[in-house]
Amino acid sequence: MSTTGPKTENIAPDKLVRVTFEPEGKTVEFEYGTLPYEHHGKPMSFLDVAENFDIFLDHACGGACACTTCHLWIKDQTGISEAEDDEIDRLDMAADQQLNSRLGCQAVITKPGNYVVEIPKWNRNYTSEGKPLTLAEGK
Ligand code: FES
């Protein structure tokens, strides 16, 4: 497991947020409330966290709850915002939906703690193969 991000030894344990992205086991740590908003998804969403730490989590619609490419499985949803109706509707279109499925751009960390999320296999394959092909124009 690797940990990236700013030094965390000066962060009080009750303010520490630790997020592990599986299956890579990449863990990031930061002080709750100090993460700059990267304008991808809701502030403090898992997509926002991933963008802050250069962890690739696809987000074809830019975090607007209009696709399902940021689909994640969240191990324990304690401390995570409740899904709103538009997220629930969108998740119905996601491949491989599970009880712990959330959209990475909509699921927000609401308090310090440890969080573990998994990027579904199909999404990892997608990311390892790069961006989707686009049809050649005018041919
Ligand atoms: S990035 Fe499109 S729904 Fe999350």
Side-chain angles (χ1 to χ4, degrees), residues 80-100:
I80 308 294
S81 64
E82 295 272 328
E84 295 178 9
D85 287 348
D86 56 347
E87 181 186 355
I88 292 168
D89 290 346
R90 184 61 55 188
L91 269 172
D92 280 343
M93 301 174 197
D96 216 358
Q97 187 182 8
Q98 300 184 6
L99 286 176
N100 60 354

PDB file of all heavy atoms in Angstrom, residues 80-100:
ATOM      1  N   ILE A  80     -20.617   9.054   5.007  1.00  0.00           N
ATOM      2  CA  ILE A  80     -20.816   9.464   3.615  1.00  0.00           C
ATOM      3  C   ILE A  80     -22.219  10.054   3.464  1.00  0.00           C
ATOM      4  O   ILE A  80     -23.170   9.557   4.062  1.00  0.00           O
ATOM      5  CB  ILE A  80     -20.687   8.244   2.663  1.00  0.00           C
ATOM      6  CG1 ILE A  80     -19.384   7.490   2.918  1.00  0.00           C
ATOM      7  CG2 ILE A  80     -20.807   8.681   1.209  1.00  0.00           C
ATOM      8  CD1 ILE A  80     -18.156   8.248   2.592  1.00  0.00           C
ATOM      9  N   SER A  81     -22.335  11.082   2.655  1.00  0.00           N
ATOM     10  CA  SER A  81     -23.642  11.706   2.423  1.00  0.00           C
ATOM     11  C   SER A  81     -24.634  10.690   1.861  1.00  0.00           C
ATOM     12  O   SER A  81     -24.249   9.736   1.196  1.00  0.00           O
ATOM     13  CB  SER A  81     -23.482  12.873   1.431  1.00  0.00           C
ATOM     14  OG  SER A  81     -23.042  12.370   0.167  1.00  0.00           O
ATOM     15  N   GLU A  82     -25.908  10.939   2.141  1.00  0.00           N
ATOM     16  CA  GLU A  82     -26.968  10.102   1.577  1.00  0.00           C
ATOM     17  C   GLU A  82     -27.089  10.393   0.076  1.00  0.00           C
ATOM     18  O   GLU A  82     -26.915  11.539  -0.341  1.00  0.00           O
ATOM     19  CB  GLU A  82     -28.312  10.454   2.233  1.00  0.00           C
ATOM     20  CG  GLU A  82     -28.384  10.149   3.708  1.00  0.00           C
ATOM     21  CD  GLU A  82     -28.853   8.734   3.970  1.00  0.00           C
ATOM     22  OE1 GLU A  82     -29.650   8.209   3.174  1.00  0.00           O
ATOM     23  OE2 GLU A  82     -28.402   8.159   4.979  1.00  0.00           O
ATOM     24  N   ALA A  83     -27.397   9.358  -0.690  1.00  0.00           N
ATOM     25  CA  ALA A  83     -27.611   9.563  -2.122  1.00  0.00           C
ATOM     26  C   ALA A  83     -28.917  10.325  -2.339  1.00  0.00           C
ATOM     27  O   ALA A  83     -29.936  10.029  -1.711  1.00  0.00           O
ATOM     28  CB  ALA A  83     -27.658   8.222  -2.842  1.00  0.00           C
ATOM     29  N   GLU A  84     -28.874  11.322  -3.206  1.00  0.00           N
ATOM     30  CA  GLU A  84     -30.089  12.065  -3.552  1.00  0.00           C
ATOM     31  C   GLU A  84     -30.771  11.381  -4.731  1.00  0.00           C
ATOM     32  O   GLU A  84     -30.201  10.499  -5.375  1.00  0.00           O
ATOM     33  CB  GLU A  84     -29.723  13.521  -3.865  1.00  0.00           C
ATOM     34  CG  GLU A  84     -29.181  14.228  -2.631  1.00  0.00           C
ATOM     35  CD  GLU A  84     -28.752  15.661  -2.889  1.00  0.00           C
ATOM     36  OE1 GLU A  84     -29.025  16.186  -3.989  1.00  0.00           O
ATOM     37  OE2 GLU A  84     -28.142  16.243  -1.984  1.00  0.00           O
ATOM     38  N   ASP A  85     -31.995  11.815  -5.021  1.00  0.00           N
ATOM     39  CA  ASP A  85     -32.794  11.135  -6.042  1.00  0.00           C
ATOM     40  C   ASP A  85     -32.110  11.071  -7.402  1.00  0.00           C
ATOM     41  O   ASP A  85     -32.166  10.049  -8.085  1.00  0.00           O
ATOM     42  CB  ASP A  85     -34.155  11.830  -6.202  1.00  0.00           C
ATOM     43  CG  ASP A  85     -35.065  11.554  -5.009  1.00  0.00           C
ATOM     44  OD1 ASP A  85     -34.729  10.665  -4.202  1.00  0.00           O
ATOM     45  OD2 ASP A  85     -36.094  12.238  -4.889  1.00  0.00           O
ATOM     46  N   ASP A  86     -31.444  12.168  -7.800  1.00  0.00           N
ATOM     47  CA  ASP A  86     -30.825  12.153  -9.127  1.00  0.00           C
ATOM     48  C   ASP A  86     -29.671  11.152  -9.186  1.00  0.00           C
ATOM     49  O   ASP A  86     -29.444  10.505 -10.202  1.00  0.00           O
ATOM     50  CB  ASP A  86     -30.382  13.558  -9.569  1.00  0.00           C
ATOM     51  CG  ASP A  86     -29.454  14.235  -8.596  1.00  0.00           C
ATOM     52  OD1 ASP A  86     -29.320  13.751  -7.448  1.00  0.00           O
ATOM     53  OD2 ASP A  86     -28.842  15.246  -8.973  1.00  0.00           O
ATOM     54  N   GLU A  87     -28.938  10.986  -8.075  1.00  0.00           N
ATOM     55  CA  GLU A  87     -27.873   9.985  -8.055  1.00  0.00           C
ATOM     56  C   GLU A  87     -28.455   8.573  -8.107  1.00  0.00           C
ATOM     57  O   GLU A  87     -27.964   7.714  -8.841  1.00  0.00           O
ATOM     58  CB  GLU A  87     -26.995  10.143  -6.812  1.00  0.00           C
ATOM     59  CG  GLU A  87     -25.855   9.115  -6.797  1.00  0.00           C
ATOM     60  CD  GLU A  87     -25.044   9.128  -5.513  1.00  0.00           C
ATOM     61  OE1 GLU A  87     -25.289   9.994  -4.638  1.00  0.00           O
ATOM     62  OE2 GLU A  87     -24.163   8.263  -5.376  1.00  0.00           O
ATOM     63  N   ILE A  88     -29.526   8.349  -7.351  1.00  0.00           N
ATOM     64  CA  ILE A  88     -30.148   7.025  -7.334  1.00  0.00           C
ATOM     65  C   ILE A  88     -30.677   6.667  -8.729  1.00  0.00           C
ATOM     66  O   ILE A  88     -30.480   5.556  -9.219  1.00  0.00           O
ATOM     67  CB  ILE A  88     -31.284   6.986  -6.284  1.00  0.00           C
ATOM     68  CG1 ILE A  88     -30.670   7.103  -4.881  1.00  0.00           C
ATOM     69  CG2 ILE A  88     -32.101   5.697  -6.412  1.00  0.00           C
ATOM     70  CD1 ILE A  88     -31.684   7.370  -3.789  1.00  0.00           C
ATOM     71  N   ASP A  89     -31.306   7.642  -9.378  1.00  0.00           N
ATOM     72  CA  ASP A  89     -31.809   7.409 -10.741  1.00  0.00           C
ATOM     73  C   ASP A  89     -30.667   7.087 -11.698  1.00  0.00           C
ATOM     74  O   ASP A  89     -30.763   6.199 -12.537  1.00  0.00           O
ATOM     75  CB  ASP A  89     -32.566   8.646 -11.255  1.00  0.00           C
ATOM     76  CG  ASP A  89     -33.890   8.839 -10.528  1.00  0.00           C
ATOM     77  OD1 ASP A  89     -34.335   7.904  -9.837  1.00  0.00           O
ATOM     78  OD2 ASP A  89     -34.469   9.942 -10.645  1.00  0.00           O
ATOM     79  N   ARG A  90     -29.577   7.823 -11.578  1.00  0.00           N
ATOM     80  CA  ARG A  90     -28.440   7.614 -12.471  1.00  0.00           C
ATOM     81  C   ARG A  90     -27.792   6.256 -12.211  1.00  0.00           C
ATOM     82  O   ARG A  90     -27.400   5.539 -13.135  1.00  0.00           O
ATOM     83  CB  ARG A  90     -27.428   8.750 -12.270  1.00  0.00           C
ATOM     84  CG  ARG A  90     -26.241   8.720 -13.193  1.00  0.00           C
ATOM     85  CD  ARG A  90     -26.601   8.820 -14.642  1.00  0.00           C
ATOM     86  NE  ARG A  90     -27.400   9.999 -14.931  1.00  0.00           N
ATOM     87  CZ  ARG A  90     -27.979  10.243 -16.107  1.00  0.00           C
ATOM     88  NH1 ARG A  90     -27.827   9.400 -17.102  1.00  0.00           N
ATOM     89  NH2 ARG A  90     -28.699  11.330 -16.295  1.00  0.00           N
ATOM     90  N   LEU A  91     -27.695   5.888 -10.928  1.00  0.00           N
ATOM     91  CA  LEU A  91     -27.062   4.606 -10.580  1.00  0.00           C
ATOM     92  C   LEU A  91     -27.815   3.424 -11.172  1.00  0.00           C
ATOM     93  O   LEU A  91     -27.216   2.375 -11.431  1.00  0.00           O
ATOM     94  CB  LEU A  91     -26.975   4.452  -9.061  1.00  0.00           C
ATOM     95  CG  LEU A  91     -25.691   4.957  -8.410  1.00  0.00           C
ATOM     96  CD1 LEU A  91     -25.840   4.914  -6.899  1.00  0.00           C
ATOM     97  CD2 LEU A  91     -24.475   4.165  -8.860  1.00  0.00           C
ATOM     98  N   ASP A  92     -29.122   3.599 -11.378  1.00  0.00           N
ATOM     99  CA  ASP A  92     -29.899   2.519 -11.983  1.00  0.00           C
ATOM    100  C   ASP A  92     -29.374   2.150 -13.364  1.00  0.00           C
ATOM    101  O   ASP A  92     -29.628   1.067 -13.858  1.00  0.00           O
ATOM    102  CB  ASP A  92     -31.379   2.915 -12.082  1.00  0.00           C
ATOM    103  CG  ASP A  92     -32.102   2.741 -10.759  1.00  0.00           C
ATOM    104  OD1 ASP A  92     -31.557   2.021  -9.884  1.00  0.00           O
ATOM    105  OD2 ASP A  92     -33.179   3.319 -10.594  1.00  0.00           O
ATOM    106  N   MET A  93     -28.655   3.052 -13.987  1.00  0.00           N
ATOM    107  CA  MET A  93     -28.102   2.803 -15.317  1.00  0.00           C
ATOM    108  C   MET A  93     -26.675   2.260 -15.259  1.00  0.00           C
ATOM    109  O   MET A  93     -26.083   1.956 -16.295  1.00  0.00           O
ATOM    110  CB  MET A  93     -28.097   4.104 -16.128  1.00  0.00           C
ATOM    111  CG  MET A  93     -29.471   4.710 -16.293  1.00  0.00           C
ATOM    112  SD  MET A  93     -29.367   6.317 -17.089  1.00  0.00           S
ATOM    113  CE  MET A  93     -30.965   6.990 -16.695  1.00  0.00           C
ATOM    114  N   ALA A  94     -26.111   2.169 -14.075  1.00  0.00           N
ATOM    115  CA  ALA A  94     -24.708   1.739 -13.944  1.00  0.00           C
ATOM    116  C   ALA A  94     -24.576   0.236 -14.113  1.00  0.00           C
ATOM    117  O   ALA A  94     -25.435  -0.532 -13.663  1.00  0.00           O
ATOM    118  CB  ALA A  94     -24.159   2.159 -12.583  1.00  0.00           C
ATOM    119  N   ALA A  95     -23.495  -0.176 -14.762  1.00  0.00           N
ATOM    120  CA  ALA A  95     -23.187  -1.598 -14.869  1.00  0.00           C
ATOM    121  C   ALA A  95     -22.750  -2.125 -13.507  1.00  0.00           C
ATOM    122  O   ALA A  95     -22.139  -1.396 -12.720  1.00  0.00           O
ATOM    123  CB  ALA A  95     -22.064  -1.790 -15.890  1.00  0.00           C
ATOM    124  N   ASP A  96     -23.112  -3.390 -13.240  1.00  0.00           N
ATOM    125  CA  ASP A  96     -22.593  -4.056 -12.039  1.00  0.00           C
ATOM    126  C   ASP A  96     -22.962  -3.321 -10.749  1.00  0.00           C
ATOM    127  O   ASP A  96     -22.164  -3.206  -9.833  1.00  0.00           O
ATOM    128  CB  ASP A  96     -21.072  -4.175 -12.155  1.00  0.00           C
ATOM    129  CG  ASP A  96     -20.588  -5.470 -11.540  1.00  0.00           C
ATOM    130  OD1 ASP A  96     -21.423  -6.224 -11.002  1.00  0.00           O
ATOM    131  OD2 ASP A  96     -19.379  -5.717 -11.585  1.00  0.00           O
ATOM    132  N   GLN A  97     -24.195  -2.831 -10.701  1.00  0.00           N
ATOM    133  CA  GLN A  97     -24.626  -2.100  -9.510  1.00  0.00           C
ATOM    134  C   GLN A  97     -24.741  -3.038  -8.309  1.00  0.00           C
ATOM    135  O   GLN A  97     -25.246  -4.153  -8.426  1.00  0.00           O
ATOM    136  CB  GLN A  97     -25.967  -1.423  -9.775  1.00  0.00           C
ATOM    137  CG  GLN A  97     -26.390  -0.505  -8.643  1.00  0.00           C
ATOM    138  CD  GLN A  97     -27.746   0.136  -8.887  1.00  0.00           C
ATOM    139  OE1 GLN A  97     -28.441  -0.223  -9.827  1.00  0.00           O
ATOM    140  NE2 GLN A  97     -28.124   1.050  -8.040  1.00  0.00           N
ATOM    141  N   GLN A  98     -24.258  -2.579  -7.171  1.00  0.00           N
ATOM    142  CA  GLN A  98     -24.346  -3.346  -5.931  1.00  0.00           C
ATOM    143  C   GLN A  98     -24.982  -2.476  -4.855  1.00  0.00           C
ATOM    144  O   GLN A  98     -25.185  -1.278  -5.056  1.00  0.00           O
ATOM    145  CB  GLN A  98     -22.945  -3.790  -5.495  1.00  0.00           C
ATOM    146  CG  GLN A  98     -22.254  -4.666  -6.527  1.00  0.00           C
ATOM    147  CD  GLN A  98     -20.902  -5.180  -6.044  1.00  0.00           C
ATOM    148  OE1 GLN A  98     -20.504  -4.982  -4.896  1.00  0.00           O
ATOM    149  NE2 GLN A  98     -20.192  -5.845  -6.924  1.00  0.00           N
ATOM    150  N   LEU A  99     -25.254  -3.072  -3.701  1.00  0.00           N
ATOM    151  CA  LEU A  99     -25.883  -2.307  -2.628  1.00  0.00           C
ATOM    152  C   LEU A  99     -25.021  -1.140  -2.177  1.00  0.00           C
ATOM    153  O   LEU A  99     -25.529  -0.127  -1.711  1.00  0.00           O
ATOM    154  CB  LEU A  99     -26.179  -3.223  -1.434  1.00  0.00           C
ATOM    155  CG  LEU A  99     -27.350  -4.191  -1.623  1.00  0.00           C
ATOM    156  CD1 LEU A  99     -27.471  -5.106  -0.412  1.00  0.00           C
ATOM    157  CD2 LEU A  99     -28.658  -3.422  -1.844  1.00  0.00           C
ATOM    158  N   ASN A 100     -23.710  -1.282  -2.300  1.00  0.00           N
ATOM    159  CA  ASN A 100     -22.807  -0.214  -1.857  1.00  0.00           C
ATOM    160  C   ASN A 100     -22.313   0.650  -3.017  1.00  0.00           C
ATOM    161  O   ASN A 100     -21.312   1.345  -2.886  1.00  0.00           O
ATOM    162  CB  ASN A 100     -21.625  -0.784  -1.077  1.00  0.00           C
ATOM    163  CG  ASN A 100     -20.793  -1.749  -1.905  1.00  0.00           C
ATOM    164  OD1 ASN A 100     -21.155  -2.077  -3.030  1.00  0.00           O
ATOM    165  ND2 ASN A 100     -19.688  -2.197  -1.350  1.00  0.00           N
TER     166      ASN A 100
END
